[in-house]
Amino acid sequence: MTDTEQAVTPKALFAGESALMRWWQAMMLTEQELAALNIRPAPTVYRAELKRAGTPDAALMTQGFRALWLALPVSAREHKPWSMLAWAALAGVLSHVKQQDDSRSFAASLGKINPDIDKPKVSELRFQQLQGARTPEDFYRRLHRLIKQVNGKTHVPSLARGILDWFDEHHGQQALRPDKKIAVRWAMDYYQAAESALVKNKD
Amino acid sequence: MNLLTSHWLSYRFRDGSEQQLPLTAIANPDVVDFALPRADFHGAAYQFAIGLLQTVMAPQDKYDWHERYLTPPDESALAAAFTKVEHAFELDGDGPHFMQDLDPLDAASPVPVSGLLIEAPGGNTLKLNTDHFIKRGIAETLSPEMAALALFTLQINAPAGGQGHRTGLRGGGPLTTLVLPHEEDASLWQKLWLNVQSRESWTYKDPDYHSAELFPWLGKTRISKNKGSDIYAHDVHPLAMFWAMPRRIRLLFEQQEGICQLSLKACSTVCRQYRTSNYGNNYVGTWLHPLTHYRSNPKKPDEDYLSTKGQPGGIQYKQWHSLSFVDAAEGSHPAQVIQDFLLHKSEYFYFDWGEAPRLWAFGFDMDNMKARGWYNSEFPLIRLNPDLRDELLNEIKSMQSLAQEVLWHCRTQIKAAWFDKPADAKGDTSHIDLQFWQRTQNDFFQMVAALLNAPDGRLTPEAAARWLWALSRHAKTLFDDLALSNLYPDREMYKKIRARRQLTGWLAGSKRIRQFSQDYRLDTLTEELA
């Protein structure tokens, strides 16, 4: 068991999580699944526009983001000056996530071993490039690429929280404790998932 | 200048003011402490005054002692007691000089007075110009007052000083442990008197105040060049332990206006130089200096007892129980004043948590002749219930050893995160230990408090779990602070994360931790503390 994010689930990871999940499910799930959850399907244009948005700024202009933003509780929206851009980036990235999978966290889904090649789905190098992203645009682009590498399957709330925290840290709101920093949390989860393959290939 | 009658030491009053007064000021109830420019001088002044009180006015028994504790003598009574030894406390003049050789040492060429200061660079360092961190020129001119303190400080702490330059009676850089009242603003008298022992608890024959067996500078130095010239405890009076004089020194005074570089006061006599010679009194064998902790080897009872010295990492709570409690099985002998306090004087004091008297430990950390640092720590001085004493001490020791092991794993993994070959990585990592002890100290004493409240001398599962949890929490944050706070995306990242997982893995599931959980029945806890 990891001591990073597992400990806080199944409680909500962040403000606005349940609104976000309903919004994402409305875009991704089948009609039957949505009916069971009592959620109205989202117009297909939401997802189409978001998928075309190449930057967080572009995602900001979409109808899909607007729908999400208005559905969020005040506590999530009035958080910080950069909150809107962070949520827009989040909307853009999530439009590529097709399926919630059983990984413990977003970073763990990247480090998960692909049994065909006995290597992590995302290589150490690519993972480190994500960790090295210094601008929101770069960060956004790299996330897209990684989502594609895991075939659109990851842990949605963990990814969402990671993106929000990344924006906080990017704007100078560093976590006081190192183990709360997003880079450290991601690294712990990624390497824990990837460890068995990495050890074999390194030694 | 006579050290018993001159205005030579400064004192701090209850209202914060400072004044230079004669030694009798220690009986003034408004005086709360010495006010001296250096920590080692401050510690030396305590030892000077305690030694003097023990020498001239030791109480007969504990009742006598307690009466004096509550009601200090008035200053004239104190002055009268001091007259008995006044002849031995002249710093200069015609007769014997305090803590200086009877021989004028005319053959030795004078050296700068800064050499009396323990951290000052030595002659060779000055010649080779290698004083990079400890600088020359810290004290070229001293007032007689500061020179006297520097001299006494050197004689009681003397580190090895080159061939034939003897160490102090307790070895070089010994730790001193004193009892202090709980209240910070207790009078100086009470702070000193707590460390004076009654003639019942420390028996010795009445001292001859004119004998060199008590004050070695009254007689000729026992030159220790040849074999058989060593001084053993049975060669001198027991009180001489306060007045041992390992170094042969003569201060040189000049009648001249000057500014003392330590006290920054103007003075009409200055000391810039002194003469010194080697092969002074050589104290060997077992001594039990009343203010110092000793260790013996329980397997070899005939071996000499060794005084405890300052060590890298400072004085932390990991030494607290050794400094406080006698432990024959481990050969740990706390300072006589500590033992005496817990055994005889403690009945006069409250030991409620938060009101306990304090154990004050201080001393130099010496690497042969090099001073690495000065340490100064205070801990609660606790009395263990005599019926449960052994159980309690055992319990404290096992909590202590758990901390040691957690620290070991923490340090090992921090090194694994830092270095490619951690086993080969040399260098001082004592700052890791230091931080660990400091961060866990509060939790440690809370654990001890919980232990003292336990009915059977065993920790409750709750208290044991709290201690374990505190240790692992601090180990993890220490690791994170030192190894993860700069996590760059590079090939080191995996190494660091792996080291952290090793650490958390050990803390969560190692044999040692499982055993601890079993021993203290942590499984009976219904509530998750973490």
Side-chain angles (χ1 to χ4, degrees), chain A residues 3 124 127-128 131-132 178-179 181 184 187-188 191-192 195 199 202, chain B residues 476-477 480-481 484-485 487 489-491 493-494 497-498 500-501 504:
Chain A
D3 49 1
E124 211 182 342
F127 173 69
Q128 292 184 352
Q131 296 276 51
D179 65 328
K181 286 186 192 170
V184 173
M188 289 202 266
Y191 283 110
Q192 183 172 4
E195 190 154 45
V199 168
K202 278 198 177 174
Chain B
K476 279 187 258 183
T477 46
D480 292 348
D481 289 349
L484 293 187
S485 49
L487 189 69
D490 57 16
R491 56 185 211 86
M493 203 157 98
Y494 174 49
I497 298 297
R498 183 169 55 178
R500 192 184 200 276
R501 303 217 320 119
T504 50

Side-chain angles (χ1 to χ4, degrees), chain B residues 496-513:
Chain B
K496 292 175 178 172
I497 298 297
R498 183 169 55 178
R500 192 184 200 276
R501 303 217 320 119
Q502 297 277 349
L503 177 63
T504 50
W506 186 84
L507 290 168
S510 63
K511 215 165 146 190
R512 174 68 170 97
I513 300 296

Side-chain angles (χ1 to χ4, degrees), chain B residues 62 177-179 194-198 201-202 287-296 305 321-328 331-347 351 358-359 381-384 389:
Chain B
K62 66 178 179 185
T177 52
L178 300 179
V179 186
L194 274 173
N195 298 286
V196 175
Q197 300 172 66
S198 79
S201 76
W202 186 14
W287 296 81
L288 285 174
H289 188 285
L291 309 180
T292 289
H293 176 268
Y294 282 82
R295 285 204 175 279
S296 64
Y305 286 26
H321 62 285
S322 312
L323 295 176
S324 307
F325 308 115
V326 178
D327 191 340
S332 174
H333 311 273
Q336 298 293 326
V337 291
I338 307 288
Q339 296 191 34
D340 177 52
F341 180 80
L342 290 178
L343 223 64
H344 302 296
K345 296 172 182 154
S346 55
E347 61 185 83
F351 280 84
R358 292 174 287 153
L359 171 75
L381 185 53
I382 288 162
R383 197 173 66 116
L384 302 180
R389 188 187 176 284

Side-chain angles (χ1 to χ4, degrees), chain B residues 22-44:
Chain B
L23 202 62
T24 50
I26 59 174
N28 181 336
D30 288 326
V31 169
V32 293
D33 210 341
F34 294 105
L36 298 169
R38 288 167 52 108
D40 56 341
F41 285 10
H42 188 241

Side-chain angles (χ1 to χ4, degrees), chain B residues 392-458:
Chain B
L392 291 167
L393 192 53
N394 269 336
E395 199 77 340
I396 289 170
K397 274 160 41 182
S398 60
M399 293 305 133
Q400 188 60 253
S401 81
L402 181 70
Q404 298 266 20
E405 283 177 71
V406 171
L407 168 60
W408 188 89
H409 285 273
C410 181
R411 192 201 310 113
T412 306
Q413 294 308 335
I414 288 171
K415 286 169 78 177
W418 280 348
F419 304 115
D420 279 329
K421 289 187 177 133
D424 299 343
K426 297 283 174 269
D428 183 13
T429 51
S430 63
H431 62 286
I432 301 177
D433 299 31
L434 185 63
Q435 290 196 48
F436 181 81
W437 296 121
Q438 285 174 347
R439 289 175 185 213
T440 52
Q441 170 160 322
N442 276 339
D443 294 291
F444 175 77
F445 282 109
Q446 277 171 23
M447 183 275 293
V448 173
L451 176 62
L452 296 183
N453 289 326
D456 57 351
R458 281 280 281 183

